[in-house]
Amino acid sequence: MAEEYGGLKSNLSGDGWTLLGVGRIFLVMALSVFILPVQYIAVRLMKSRGWWSLAGLWHRAVCRILGVEVRISGTPHEHNGPVLYACNHISWLDIPVVGGHLKNASFIAKSEVAGWGAIGLLCTLHKTIFVNRERRSDSARQRDALSQRVEQGHSLILFPEGTSTDGMRVAPFKSALFSVAERADEASDHHLLIQPVTLAYTAVNGMPLIRSQKPVVAWLGDVELFGHLRQLMSRARIEAVIEFHAPVTLAEAGSRKALAAYCEAEVRRGLERAHRAELKMGPQSPALPAPDTDGPFDPSLGTT
């Protein structure tokens, strides 16, 4: 029976758990029993980058169990300092997909996520920084937490849309969320690099993930997590694409608004390329050249 899902007509059914889904849940639980207690200790005791090894291993192993094949386009920027990765947000599945491939990077999430049961626990074990956007009284504490994390050399993962989407589009990036770049620059003797990242889920069981099937992976707020988990666990194989774009600094962008516009435009173009590829619509358009770090930032890169 078709259901309305965030404006999409979906043909997802209300069937119960499949044998494949039950087996995957069992394997994830078995994996977690061995890894998560050690990861908890590592998060508590390790201030350096050593904590990520087990976290990344857990995320990649979960993806393997769930049948998620991740294809990387481009490379995450590596230099002596931390990086802020600005990524679009589609599903709870983004956590293991992205978290398993961005070394020494912690998530930045809204404070409500901490109370989302298993998801909140997983975010905590990935040293997530929870930010309360409503209470101004917490701003000083949050600024200190972000500054401390950057000073320790940790990179950060931000979902600038502020919510999950249906995977067909990119929601406007909220420039206010890029204040972390300002705070990081204030806490460091060098400028924080911001790298846009596009995440796309392109196929299920070897078939293009067309519009009506996007709800298989996309998780919007009006859908119960348990029901969505049951549906996704029943799919044999899911293909995901992570595309890394040219990094930029806040100083090169000139303002948070221009920085948000640049990252949003890059991520949107990456999602369009992923959609063209999954529908076999010909070669992808070439990526834009990296910004000229020796000259002024061209704001047109973020507005065209």
Side-chain angles (χ1 to χ4, degrees):
M1 178 178 179
E3 298 176 354
E4 187 73 19
Y5 182 96
L8 298 180
K9 283 293 185 180
S10 165
N11 60 1
L12 298 182
S13 67
D15 295 338
W17 285 90
T18 64
L19 183 60
L20 177 62
V22 172
R24 283 173 166 171
I25 286 290
F26 176 79
L27 289 175
V28 169
M29 293 177 62
L31 172 73
S32 301
V33 166
F34 287 100
I35 292 184
L36 294 189
V38 182
Q39 175 63 12
Y40 177 82
I41 296 174
V43 167
R44 287 287 185 177
L45 300 181
M46 293 186 178
K47 302 298 183 183
S48 64
R49 302 180 180 184
W51 66 272
W52 184 83
S53 297
L54 275 178
L57 174 63
W58 187 89
H59 288 308
R60 292 190 298 275
V62 167
C63 285
R64 178 66 65 87
I65 291 172
L66 299 185
V68 180
E69 300 178 2
V70 181
R71 180 166 58 86
I72 305 296
S73 176
T75 56
H77 191 82
E78 295 183 0
H79 71 137
N80 294 330
V83 178
L84 173 64
Y85 299 103
C87 182
N88 61 310
H89 188 25
I90 300 173
S91 171
W92 57 266
L93 189 59
D94 301 350
I95 296 174
V97 170
V98 175
H101 292 83
L102 294 179
K103 294 181 179 180
N104 306 311
S106 305
F107 289 98
I108 301 174
K110 56 185 179 181
S111 56
E112 300 93 295
V113 176
W116 288 1
I119 291 182
L121 174 62
L122 294 179
C123 288
T124 300
L125 293 178
H126 204 89
K127 302 199 73 170
T128 297
I129 301 175
F130 297 105
V131 177
N132 191 327
R133 304 169 190 164
E134 305 297 331
R135 297 179 58 181
R136 293 181 177 272
S137 58
D138 287 348
S139 60
R141 178 185 59 80
Q142 294 167 4
R143 181 176 61 249
D144 292 343
L146 290 168
S147 300
Q148 182 181 32
R149 195 65 59 84
V150 170
E151 289 173 349
Q152 293 172 353
H154 294 241
S155 294
L156 303 171
I157 304 169
L158 174 68
F159 296 123
E161 295 162 299
T163 185
S164 57
T165 69
D166 55 21
M168 290 295 299
R169 60 187 176 84
V170 176
F173 279 17
K174 302 179 184 299
S175 60
L177 298 182
F178 285 90
S179 61
V180 61
E182 292 179 329
R183 296 168 182 172
D185 284 354
E186 293 172 357
S188 177
D189 57 359
H190 60 272
H191 294 299
L192 180 71
L193 277 176
I194 298 92
Q195 184 168 30
V197 179
T198 297
L199 174 61
Y201 298 97
T202 58
V204 171
N205 296 341
M207 298 297 292
L209 192 59
I210 58 177
R211 181 180 174 85
S212 64
Q213 287 295 315
K214 290 295 183 181
V216 171
V217 179
W219 179 51
L220 301 182
D222 56 351
V223 175
E224 292 185 0
L225 174 61
F226 189 78
H228 188 264
L229 184 68
R230 182 188 67 236
Q231 294 289 351
L232 187 141
M233 289 286 186
S234 300
R235 269 58 189 184
R237 182 161 50 91
I238 296 173
E239 296 178 15
V241 176
I242 301 176
E243 180 179 355
F244 294 95
H245 306 284
V248 69
T249 66
L250 177 62
E252 291 168 344
S255 68
R256 290 188 316 195
K257 185 175 181 180
L259 176 61
Y262 168 75
C263 292
E264 179 185 333
E266 288 291 273
V267 171
R268 180 173 286 110
R269 280 191 283 265
L271 190 61
E272 291 173 355
R273 282 192 289 270
H275 288 164
R276 288 185 61 85
E278 74 187 38
L279 296 177
K280 312 300 181 185
M281 296 177 63
Q284 301 182 34
S285 58
L288 291 178
D292 182 4
T293 55
D294 295 327
F297 177 79
D298 182 358
S300 65
L301 291 178
T303 57
T304 55

